[in-house]
């Protein structure tokens, strides 16, 4: 194969980039190590920022989310049985759209293929070379069509877009002496759950509790995501179903009218379809470009799920990267490409900063050695958030991605 841009990874970053290049008449091939069915059913994110929805709409990529996406404009914090509702949509004048990531991915794949695009599924990329030359080469494993024996294929390209996530091969192909990344490990874990149960409220819940954070995020009318703060060393087997539902009920309980915290919560247990421990950390690769390799999405940065920014940031990287490729191929001007890292990093850091701020609001981090101090701080933050004013407005605009 020979193409102009080889895109490694058929996640949100790779697919948005490929569609934008295709629309501009730039040749590209997408490779993914997984099957199409696998990537189209991999449930992860669910909240799309306002500006990302507008971008997808402008480009004609929003048919599915316009039909099935649900608008969200309020979120709720819970502390000691009290409910603090933040109408962030009214404050910012726009809404989130809840549309599961696997639907976004599936819609983009369908559109790209319908428009004549090539995605090589079940093609794990095993080597990338020629990053400093005129011609980069992607080596991938595949199966012979006739006898299914293993074969190695090569894709030659002008540029490679590494959109293959944090554990992919693209970031690992940058020479160590040219690679730089900055990490924050928060020392906490989240037990991430998906359950076949309707959400107990129509909005996101962030419950701050002495036993740790608990969260509820609607996904579809039948499926809800829950999170429970836990130790990052916990195993899934430490969390049997009974313990999960007990902790969710306890941490998310609200005061009923007579002041009893056992709660008027509507939470009902349902079948758990995903249960995994996430180590809460953020990592920013400060080398988003090396030679003719450009990293986008989780390949370049991972961000804790707090604030629901990862998929949005991945799509925003690809929007910029596509523009830079288009300027290069149409006008022969490589300035935007050469400024990719320097242009994207400030935006990435602003998003990380918001997520870090929010993480400190919903967890009692013991960094200063005093849990009481950090607990008082987060209470003060919550009070300010629920007041009306610039503080709350800034939160609303950042949260919804205005
Ligand atoms: P990915 O979606 O990871 O796609 C990378 C692709 O590359 C994959 O398809 C993979 O198979 C392929 N690949 C990897 N290695 C190779 C290889 N060697 N060869 C070929 N292909 C390869 N974000 C939000 O915005 N909002 C949320 O609410 C949210 N919630 C989340 C909840 C959870 C539990 C998790 C885990 C994440 C969440 N995120 C959220 C983050 C979001 O899912 C990611 O940021 C997003 O998937 C990044 O997209 P991407 O295209 O960069 O990478």
């Amino acid at each position: 194969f020979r193409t102009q841009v080889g895109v490694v990874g058929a996640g949100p970053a790779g697919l948005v980039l490929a569609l934008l290049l295709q629309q501009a008449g730039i040749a590209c091939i997408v490779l993914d190590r997984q099957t199409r069915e696998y990537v189209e059913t991999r449930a992860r994110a669910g909240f799309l920022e306002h500006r990302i929805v507008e971008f997808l709409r402008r480009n004609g990529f929003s048919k599915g989310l316009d039909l099935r996406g649900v608008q969200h404009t309020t979120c709720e914090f819970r502390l000691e049985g009290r409910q603090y509702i933040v109408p962030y949509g009214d404050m910012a004048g726009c809404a989130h759209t809840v549309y599961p990531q696997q639907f976004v991915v599936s819609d983009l794949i369908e559109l790209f293929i319908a428009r004549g695009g090539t995605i090589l599924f079940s093609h794990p990329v095993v080597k990338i070379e020629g990053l400093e030359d005129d011609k980069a080469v992607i080596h991938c494993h595949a199966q012979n069509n006739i006898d299914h024996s293993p074969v190695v294929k090569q894709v030659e390209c002008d540029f490679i877009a590494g959109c293959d996530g944090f554990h992919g091969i693209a970031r690992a192909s940058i020479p160590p002496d040219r690679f730089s990344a900055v990490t924050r490990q928060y020392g906490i874990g989240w037990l991430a759950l998906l359950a076949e149960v309707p959400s107990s409220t129509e909005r996101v819940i962030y419950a701050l509790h002495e036993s740790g954070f608990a969260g509820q995020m609607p996904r579809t009318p039948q499926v809800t995501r829950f999170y429970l703060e836990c130790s990052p060393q916990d195993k899934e087997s430490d969390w049997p179903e009974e313990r999960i539902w007990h902790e969710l009920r306890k941490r998310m309980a609200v005061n009923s009218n007579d002041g009893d915290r056992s709660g008027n919560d509507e939470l009902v247990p349902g079948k758990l379809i995903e249960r995994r421990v996430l180590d809460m950390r953020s990592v920013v690769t400060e080398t988003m470009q090396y030679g003719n390799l450009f990293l986008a999405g989780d390949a370049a940065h991972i961000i804790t799920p707090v604030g629901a920014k990862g998929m949005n940031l991945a799509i925003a990287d690809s929007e910029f990267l596509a523009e830079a490729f288009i300027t290069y191929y149409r006008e022969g001007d490589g300035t935007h490409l050469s400024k990719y890292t320097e242009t994207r990093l400030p935006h990435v850091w602003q998003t990380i900063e918001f997520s870090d701020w929010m993480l400190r609001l919903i967890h009692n981090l013991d960094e200063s050695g005093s849990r009481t101090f950090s607990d008082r701080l987060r209470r003060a933050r919550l009070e300010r958030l629920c007041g009306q004013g610039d503080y709350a407005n800034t939160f609303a605009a950042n949260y919804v991605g205005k």
Side-chain angles (χ1 to χ4, degrees):
F1 292 101
R2 161 93 207 141
T3 192
Q4 288 173 304
V5 182
V7 180
V8 186
L15 293 165
V16 164
L17 176 65
L19 271 158
L20 291 170
L21 296 177
Q22 183 187 50
Q23 245 166 215
I26 297 167
C28 63
I29 291 178
V30 184
L31 300 103
D32 201 289
R33 68 173 167 195
Q34 303 288 358
T35 63
R36 178 171 179 176
E37 191 196 351
Y38 184 91
V39 300
E40 289 189 338
T41 51
R42 186 172 43 197
R44 283 171 157 189
F47 273 71
L48 287 164
E49 291 179 336
H50 166 74
R51 62 177 156 228
I52 294 298
V53 171
E54 291 292 294
F55 156 75
L56 294 171
R57 216 166 256 154
R58 265 197 319 277
N59 285 282
F61 305 159
S62 66
K63 197 170 147 201
L65 70 90
D66 286 335
L67 276 175
R68 294 187 286 161
V70 176
Q71 303 248 302
H72 274 237
T73 54
T74 54
C75 64
E76 178 181 332
F77 294 88
R78 292 183 180 176
L79 176 65
E80 290 169 350
R82 279 184 60 195
Q83 293 167 280
Y84 300 78
I85 295 170
V86 181
Y88 66 85
D90 290 347
M91 287 144 78
C94 53
H96 271 129
T97 301
V98 177
Y99 190 59
Q101 178 168 334
Q102 66 273 29
F103 297 174
V104 174
V105 165
S106 173
D107 292 351
L108 296 174
I109 289 173
E110 191 184 335
L111 194 60
F112 183 68
I113 292 176
R115 292 178 176 178
T118 302
I119 306 180
L120 302 175
F121 291 106
S122 306
H123 279 63
V125 173
V126 290
K127 193 162 80 174
I128 286 175
E129 59 183 7
L131 295 181
E132 288 143 6
D133 308 333
D134 290 347
K135 186 181 69 179
V137 185
I138 297 171
H139 300 257
C140 60
H141 283 168
Q143 276 189 351
N144 183 308
N145 283 342
I146 299 159
D147 62 2
H148 301 290
S149 57
V151 289
V152 177
K153 287 187 191 166
Q154 292 181 5
V155 181
E156 291 179 8
C157 30
D158 301 338
F159 299 103
I160 296 175
C163 306
D164 51 347
F166 191 66
H167 302 287
I169 192 152
R171 66 196 302 277
S173 303
I174 299 176
D177 58 333
R178 304 296 297 275
F179 181 82
S180 139
V182 190
T183 302
R184 170 148 288 170
Q185 199 90 33
Y186 288 96
I188 47 179
W190 270 16
L191 181 69
L193 305 153
L194 272 179
E196 281 180 352
V197 62
S199 175
S200 69
T201 63
E202 285 174 358
R203 51 184 170 257
V204 169
I205 296 172
Y206 300 100
L208 287 56
H209 193 273
E210 59 261 34
S211 300
F213 165 75
Q216 175 183 263
M217 281 98 204
R219 284 293 189 259
T220 69
Q222 301 82 27
V223 174
T224 303
R225 191 173 266 301
F226 296 97
Y227 293 114
L228 278 168
E229 182 183 342
C230 63
S231 160
Q233 280 81 41
D234 275 6
K235 305 269 173 295
E236 285 74 11
S237 54
D238 294 327
W239 287 89
E241 290 210 12
E242 214 170 280
R243 182 179 179 204
I244 288 170
W245 293 108
H246 171 78
E247 281 300 310
L248 284 171
R249 274 181 177 283
K250 181 181 86 181
R251 297 185 196 184
M252 294 204 298
V254 292
N255 293 332
S256 50
N257 291 339
D258 58 10
D260 170 14
R261 217 209 289 182
S262 58
N264 52 13
D265 197 349
E266 301 294 321
L267 185 70
V268 275
K271 185 180 167 201
L272 291 170
I273 50 177
E274 187 194 283
R275 185 182 332 191
R276 63 180 171 136
V277 175
L278 305 176
D279 189 359
M280 299 295 275
R281 60 181 175 161
S282 291
V283 183
V284 179
T285 304
E286 299 210 295
T287 324
M288 289 179 72
Q289 179 212 349
Y290 175 71
N292 40 31
L293 170 69
F294 293 81
L295 304 179
D298 279 14
H301 36 69
I302 48 165
I303 181 165
T304 73
V306 184
K309 296 296 182 191
M311 172 167 63
N312 294 288
L313 205 51
I315 294 174
D317 281 349
S318 290
E319 179 185 9
F320 180 86
L321 187 55
E323 284 292 321
F325 280 133
I326 292 167
T327 313
Y328 173 78
Y329 280 111
R330 285 206 181 138
E331 296 160 29
D333 177 0
T335 321
H336 294 308
L337 276 181
S338 62
K339 291 196 169 157
Y340 176 62
T341 299
E342 119 187 27
T343 313
R344 283 306 298 155
L345 272 185
H347 182 77
V348 171
W349 276 113
Q350 280 159 23
T351 311
I352 298 266
E353 190 278 330
F354 175 72
S355 180
D356 180 272
W357 174 88
M358 202 167 159
L359 186 136
R360 289 162 200 283
L361 172 70
I362 62 176
H363 299 87
N364 189 0
L365 285 193
D366 188 19
E367 285 174 322
S368 60
S370 166
R371 282 175 69 80
T372 310
F373 196 88
S374 55
D375 182 52
R376 298 295 185 270
L377 276 183
R378 66 191 192 140
R379 284 165 192 260
R381 276 189 191 135
L382 193 54
E383 294 296 339
R384 291 181 84 188
L385 206 56
C386 296
Q388 283 171 351
D390 292 347
Y391 194 86
N393 288 338
T394 303
F395 164 78
N398 277 305
Y399 185 57
V400 77
K402 193 173 177 183

